[in-house]
Amino acid sequence: MNQTRVLVSSESDSIISQALNGMILKRLSANLKTSYGASSHSMHFRQLHGSCRRPLKKQQPKRNFDKPNYGNRKDCPPAKVPIVSDSNIVQSNTAITNYMRSGQCDSALCIFEKMTRRTSVSWNAMISGYLLNRRFDLACQMFEKMPERDLVSWNVMITGCVRNGNLGAARRLFDQMPHRDAVSWNALLSGYAQNGYVEEARKVFDKMPYKNSISWNGILAAYVQNGRLDEACELFESNPSWDVISWNCLMGGYVRSKRLPDARRLFNKTPNRDQVSWNTMISGYAQNGLLSEAQKLFNESPIRDVFTWTAMVSGYVQNGMLDEARKVFDEMPVKNSVSWNAIIAGYLHSNKLDTANELFTSMPSKDISSYNTMITGFAQNGFIDNAMDLFNKMPHRDPISWGAIISGYSHLGHNEKALRLFIDMKRDGERANRSIFSCILSTCAEITALELGNQLHSQIIKVGLVSSFYVGNALLAMYSKCGDIEEANITFEEITYKDIVSWNTIINGYARHGYGKKALKLFESMKRNKVKPDEVTLLGVLSACSHTGLVDIGTQYFHTMESKYSITPNTKHYTCMIDLLGRAGRLDAARDLITTMPFEPDAATWGALLGASRIHNNTELAEKAAKKVFQMEPDNAGMYVLLSNLYAASGRWGDVGTMRLKMRDKMVKKVPGVSWVEVQNKIHTFSVGDLTHSDTPQIYGFLNDLDFKLREEGYVCLPKLVLHDVEEEEKEHMLKYHSEKLAVAFGILNVPNGRPIRVFKNLRVCEDCHNVIKYVSKIVGRVIIVRDSHRFHHFRDGVCSCGDYW
């Protein structure tokens, strides 16, 4: 599937189409473009190229780099120095370099193509320029076409591969090199170190025929940056000739790991302490709340630069001592933007937005970080209009600016605006970073926009971020929440380094999709991979047992949480256990567990017992649970509805009326049930008996035609599930046009054969709809996936993944 994505993505940079339908998706199309180019030889190099700052005016013919082109083109810059002889090669190379440094890749290419003779310097200038402008694909093409490569060419490409996160390509190039120097070895070592492959970095270091200070500092930094400080210390002691940079590197590692005594011992031993040494220790003490120690070192520091003062300001800010921070800030002889941003961030964090805004306004010189700090502060405090106003006034924006405003809208639930801003960002020529991709993927997960998420996945593959656990985890969550657990599993396998979030997401994903045994297998695999479970992991494990009816296994996990994994069960774990026992019909055990909890049960815990009582028609226990819920959350509409439905199922219509009167008196409104399905990046929403959709005649006709086939397969209508005091015939009619049935019918009529139909509902799917969809999946031969408020149901050939246990 990933291969398909790459091919589709390569054929056109205009990938995302038709998103944003009303509050959700309508159009997200040709504007989602990336300057990372395409692969495949079917596209012209010139067409793929594009300017780093502006698009080409028209498609250009394919170029032969070994044969110059003398045609006059409008998009070529005026040739200030005629390139007609070999004597002008230096000037041409200089021009190429200058154009590349200013981001004018297209102009540089024009100079390069007009050269009658090119040296390796010419080719290297183009390769380096493309890498500088983050056009890795074009650098690779240029490298492949290079007639003769020198050592610089190889080293530049290896470095480019490393910076692009493609360590496999970097290693292959390294192995192919006819000759290597220290730069070659250090580039590969750095690549492994920066991506967390410490053992591989050490192997490269040990094999190096000659090591310089860069090599030693590189392997030391690899240990430090990955938190392996004991090994870093052992390496440090093996070499007596470290420079002050190395001392500061190890010292900084100790500070980041909060090993301040070790950092101080190293500081005291440092032979030639520089200002970085002093600033590292001062900031270390300040950031960890040891302000007296930080102040003491601050007073002893032989030279106090702006970073020394800023370290104290930041320390006081981070420890909530805003008055002290302001005092130091006012005493600073020289302030830079970092100093201003630190104190402004302090006021923003303390919700003193007016003071922060006054300081921001009075700044003598604002940089992008200053604007970003204010935008983030406004957005996080809910003042999204102020954030947007400031964003619009920015003279320049970077990915952090776009990420701050996009995430601000996304976290406040303004998903449509977040997606539109993402379009604007792409139109503005800015490339999405890890944070932005993760935010937009989370937005897709929130609105269950699987097709849009798929298209974003193509972009992520193109820019080489698919193996990043940060983006990979967001992709994993998106697929899981949007109903594609198979693709979620593929994404999980592709994540190079799986952290606890990766494991928790896939375990919880399989649990919600009804594949409890698969979730438990993954849990065991997680332990074999030496990843320590946390509270979220065990919650996923218990949830998997609950959704699959594995009562004894779940009980065993629950009672061994503390002894095996040093995890004390919290309220959520108890709630999950009560749900597990209650669903299985062990209501007495569930009730006993509530009474023996080490803390007071919350509304969710009593709600789980109420839900289980409804499933097993235990009205007495349900009433007790509901009474507790109403005491804690008198406006909880869901609990009123649950108890009312239980009364209705028992024929206690008088009590049903009483519950409705209570809801009216308390102005509690029942949430209407709606279902929706995504087709071609557009969301189609249905409610019970909906007649507003443009395809209503076809939908109702399809459902009417199904009636006979359903009964032939053995379907029996369940009028008792209609919790209204009406005639049986009317009950059957009401059941027939439930929202999820309408959505499924529309999906069958509009989703191409071979593709699953994914329907989402905001409430629990009813038993009759569940039975109907099972039969329909067999009759029409389609896979139908339904997500309700509790879990996913995968219907295939008349069988549901939940095993009729939900």
Side-chain angles (χ1 to χ4, degrees):
M1 187 169 184
N2 289 341
Q3 184 180 5
T4 303
R5 284 201 193 93
V6 173
L7 292 175
V8 171
S9 183
S10 297
E11 290 172 3
S12 173
D13 283 337
S14 302
I15 303 186
I16 295 183
S17 60
Q18 295 182 4
L20 302 177
N21 175 29
M23 177 63 185
I24 311 189
L25 305 169
K26 219 175 208 180
R27 181 181 174 121
L28 188 60
S29 171
N31 301 309
L32 182 55
K33 298 182 179 180
T34 178
S35 59
Y36 278 88
S39 53
S40 101
H41 294 287
S42 63
M43 299 185 67
H44 299 312
F45 181 83
R46 206 61 161 98
Q47 180 184 6
L48 173 66
H49 178 272
S51 172
C52 297
R53 288 194 168 180
R54 63 185 188 280
L56 287 174
K57 296 179 179 178
K58 60 182 180 179
Q59 179 175 324
Q60 300 296 332
K62 187 174 181 180
R63 293 290 169 190
N64 184 344
F65 288 113
D66 297 318
K67 183 177 180 180
N69 186 304
Y70 298 101
N72 293 321
R73 298 200 311 272
K74 293 181 180 179
D75 58 337
C76 287
K80 298 180 180 179
V81 180
I83 306 173
V84 295
S85 67
D86 294 349
S87 62
N88 289 315
I89 290 178
V90 174
Q91 291 94 324
S92 298
N93 292 343
T94 302
I96 290 171
T97 302
N98 290 337
Y99 277 128
M100 285 297 193
R101 285 176 179 171
S102 62
Q104 300 181 56
C105 305
D106 194 43
S107 299
L109 181 62
C110 284
I111 297 294
F112 181 80
E113 289 182 329
K114 281 191 173 184
M115 295 178 68
T116 56
R117 179 171 170 268
R118 307 178 189 107
T119 65
S120 60
V121 176
S122 315
W123 290 88
N124 292 339
M126 288 297 298
I127 295 170
S128 301
Y130 281 136
L131 293 172
L132 177 66
N133 287 282
R134 293 182 290 180
R135 299 301 305 268
F136 179 72
D137 51 346
L138 298 181
C140 290
Q141 290 190 24
M142 189 66 72
F143 181 78
E144 289 298 322
K145 292 177 177 291
M146 195 172 180
E148 292 184 10
R149 301 163 186 160
D150 58 11
L151 190 57
V152 174
S153 315
W154 289 95
N155 288 341
V156 165
M157 274 310 302
I158 290 175
T159 303
C161 290
V162 166
R163 290 177 180 172
N164 199 58
N166 196 335
L167 295 182
R171 183 71 208 212
R172 286 191 294 273
L173 286 174
F174 180 84
D175 292 337
Q176 293 171 12
M177 291 182 71
H179 304 288
R180 305 182 187 105
D181 61 1
V183 175
S184 319
W185 288 92
N186 288 337
L188 189 62
L189 187 153
S190 175
Y192 283 130
Q194 291 171 8
N195 288 276
Y197 298 103
V198 183
E199 283 77 13
E200 287 79 358
R202 185 57 193 254
K203 288 177 183 177
V204 171
F205 178 80
D206 291 338
K207 290 180 180 179
M208 292 180 71
Y210 31 80
K211 303 176 180 69
N212 55 21
S213 60
I214 297 175
S215 314
W216 283 94
N217 286 334
I219 191 62
L220 177 68
Y223 284 122
V224 171
Q225 290 168 4
N226 290 279
R228 297 167 65 162
L229 295 177
D230 292 336
E231 292 165 279
C233 184
E234 183 180 343
L235 176 74
F236 194 81
E237 292 174 353
S238 70
N239 183 1
S241 58
W242 294 98
D243 54 26
V244 69
I245 296 175
S246 311
W247 288 84
N248 292 340
C249 174
L250 184 56
M251 192 190 310
Y254 283 134
V255 166
R256 286 191 296 275
S257 299
K258 302 185 184 300
R259 292 171 57 171
L260 295 180
D262 291 327
R264 185 56 188 265
R265 279 193 293 271
L266 197 65
F267 175 80
N268 293 337
K269 291 180 181 179
T270 304
N272 298 302
R273 288 185 292 224
D274 61 7
Q275 196 60 44
V276 175
S277 313
W278 288 91
N279 291 345
T280 299
M281 279 309 306
I282 291 170
S283 63
Y285 280 131
Q287 290 169 7
N288 287 279
L290 302 173
L291 275 306
S292 59
E293 292 292 334
Q295 188 68 56
K296 183 179 178 181
L297 272 184
F298 177 83
N299 295 334
E300 294 175 1
S301 182
I303 304 174
R304 297 177 195 159
D305 60 12
V306 66
F307 301 104
T308 319
W309 287 89
T310 302
M312 290 303 300
V313 173
S314 298
Y316 282 122
V317 165
Q318 290 173 16
N319 288 278
M321 303 168 70
L322 197 55
D323 293 337
E324 291 82 352
R326 183 59 184 267
K327 182 180 178 181
V328 175
F329 178 79
D330 290 339
E331 292 176 356
M332 288 181 69
V334 178
K335 303 177 180 72
N336 62 9
S337 61
V338 179
S339 320
W340 286 90
N341 294 341
I343 192 68
I344 289 172
Y347 282 112
L348 290 170
H349 186 70
S350 301
N351 295 324
K352 297 181 179 180
L353 273 66
D354 290 339
T355 306
N357 199 34
E358 289 173 7
L359 281 168
F360 176 77
T361 304
S362 63
M363 282 183 70
S365 178
K366 303 176 183 68
D367 60 11
I368 288 182
S369 296
S370 312
Y371 281 93
N372 292 345
T373 300
M374 282 302 299
I375 291 169
T376 302
F378 277 134
Q380 289 178 348
N381 285 280
F383 295 93
I384 195 65
D385 291 337
N386 301 73
M388 191 65 201
D389 182 61
L390 199 59
F391 179 81
N392 289 331
K393 292 177 180 177
M394 290 184 72
H396 303 288
R397 298 165 184 151
D398 63 4
I400 297 174
S401 317
W402 286 100
I405 195 66
I406 289 172
S407 63
Y409 277 103
S410 178
H411 292 158
L412 289 171
H414 303 307
N415 298 311
E416 179 182 359
K417 182 63 176 178
L419 291 171
R420 289 190 183 280
L421 280 166
F422 184 68
I423 297 173
D424 293 341
M425 182 195 72
K426 302 303 292 183
R427 184 185 295 122
D428 204 46
E430 191 63 70
R431 298 172 180 84
N433 58 18
R434 291 173 173 82
S435 177
I436 294 173
F437 270 127
S438 298
C439 179
I440 292 298
L441 286 168
S442 297
T443 301
C444 292
E446 187 68 25
I447 61 178
T448 61
L450 178 61
E451 293 186 25
L452 176 57
N454 256 318
Q455 293 160 350
L456 287 169
H457 194 169
S458 298
Q459 295 289 312
I460 291 166
I461 291 172
K462 285 183 69 176
V463 299
L465 291 177
V466 71
S467 61
S468 163
F469 73 88
Y470 191 52
V471 177
N473 288 342
L475 267 173
L476 178 56
M478 184 275 295
Y479 279 122
S480 177
K481 291 179 180 179
C482 289
D484 196 340
I485 193 64
E486 291 83 5
E487 189 64 29
N489 188 61
I490 293 171
T491 302
F492 174 76
E493 295 296 336
E494 288 177 346
I495 298 174
T496 305
Y497 172 72
K498 301 174 180 65
D499 64 355
I500 186 67
V501 176
S502 313
W503 287 99
N504 287 347
T505 304
I506 193 65
I507 289 171
N508 277 279
Y510 272 107
R512 284 200 70 191
H513 282 262
Y515 301 110
K517 293 181 179 178
K518 174 65 175 177
L520 297 183
K521 285 182 180 179
L522 281 164
F523 177 59
E524 295 302 322
S525 176
M526 172 184 175
K527 293 189 292 183
R528 287 194 299 272
N529 279 273
K530 310 297 184 185
V531 180
K532 186 179 179 181
D534 62 7
E535 295 178 349
V536 179
T537 316
L538 268 298
L539 192 62
V541 168
L542 294 176
S543 176
C545 295
S546 177
H547 285 308
T548 320
L550 302 174
V551 183
D552 294 335
I553 296 175
T555 303
Q556 183 180 1
Y557 277 124
F558 178 76
H559 288 300
T560 58
M561 280 176 60
E562 201 151 8
S563 60
K564 275 192 174 183
Y565 310 111
S566 302
I567 299 173
T568 303
N570 58 29
T571 307
K572 291 182 179 179
H573 296 107
Y574 275 92
T575 300
C576 202
M577 268 305 297
I578 289 161
D579 182 66
L580 169 63
L581 294 169
R583 285 176 184 273
R586 301 186 187 181
L587 296 177
D588 291 338
R591 181 186 55 199
D592 293 341
L593 186 59
I594 281 188
T595 59
T596 59
M597 285 174 63
F599 30 71
E600 284 296 318
D602 60 12
T605 309
W606 286 110
L609 185 61
L610 173 55
S613 302
R614 186 198 66 81
I615 293 173
H616 298 285
N617 295 314
N618 190 324
T619 307
E620 182 182 354
L621 186 57
E623 288 176 327
K624 291 179 180 179
K627 183 179 179 181
K628 293 287 187 180
V629 175
F630 295 150
Q631 289 174 357
M632 300 176 189
E633 296 180 356
D635 298 328
N636 190 323
M639 296 302 106
Y640 282 100
V641 172
L642 271 178
L643 189 57
S644 177
N645 289 348
L646 183 54
Y647 286 144
S650 303
R652 295 169 56 176
W653 298 108
D655 291 323
V656 172
T658 301
M659 291 300 297
R660 289 175 180 170
L661 285 174
K662 285 183 178 180
M663 292 177 69
R664 187 187 66 184
D665 293 342
K666 293 182 177 294
M667 292 186 291
V668 176
K669 293 185 178 181
K670 177 184 176 181
V671 177
V674 294
S675 300
W676 62 95
V677 59
E678 180 187 4
V679 177
Q680 294 183 350
N681 276 340
K682 187 175 181 181
I683 301 297
H684 300 263
T685 306
F686 302 89
S687 57
V688 60
D690 200 335
L691 297 172
T692 61
H693 196 278
S694 58
D695 288 354
T696 292
Q698 293 89 337
I699 294 170
Y700 277 68
F702 179 80
L703 289 175
N704 291 332
D705 291 341
L706 270 179
D707 270 351
F708 180 73
K709 295 178 182 178
L710 285 169
R711 299 184 191 281
E712 271 192 333
E713 290 293 334
Y715 163 70
V716 177
C717 182
L718 300 174
K720 66 176 184 177
L721 297 176
V722 178
L723 305 177
H724 297 276
D725 193 11
V726 296
E727 297 295 329
E728 293 290 307
E729 185 177 346
E730 187 174 349
K731 287 184 177 182
E732 287 194 24
H733 182 78
M734 293 173 71
L735 280 174
K736 187 174 181 179
Y737 302 115
H738 271 194
S739 65
E740 51 266 60
K741 291 173 184 170
L742 297 176
V744 167
F746 177 80
I748 292 171
L749 292 171
N750 291 275
V751 175
N753 281 326
R755 293 180 57 188
I757 298 158
R758 292 182 171 86
V759 172
F760 302 87
K761 187 178 181 182
N762 64 331
L763 303 177
R764 187 177 185 269
V765 64
C766 83
E767 185 178 345
D768 185 74
C769 288
H770 189 273
N771 290 337
V772 167
I773 298 171
K774 277 199 306 181
Y775 287 116
V776 169
S777 70
K778 181 178 180 181
I779 292 169
V780 300
R782 302 291 297 272
V783 175
I784 303 171
I785 301 170
V786 178
R787 191 202 75 181
D788 65 9
S789 58
H790 288 77
R791 61 177 297 163
F792 281 91
H793 300 264
H794 292 247
F795 300 92
R796 188 192 303 266
D797 297 327
V799 178
C800 181
S801 60
C802 73
D804 298 336
Y805 185 90
W806 86 99

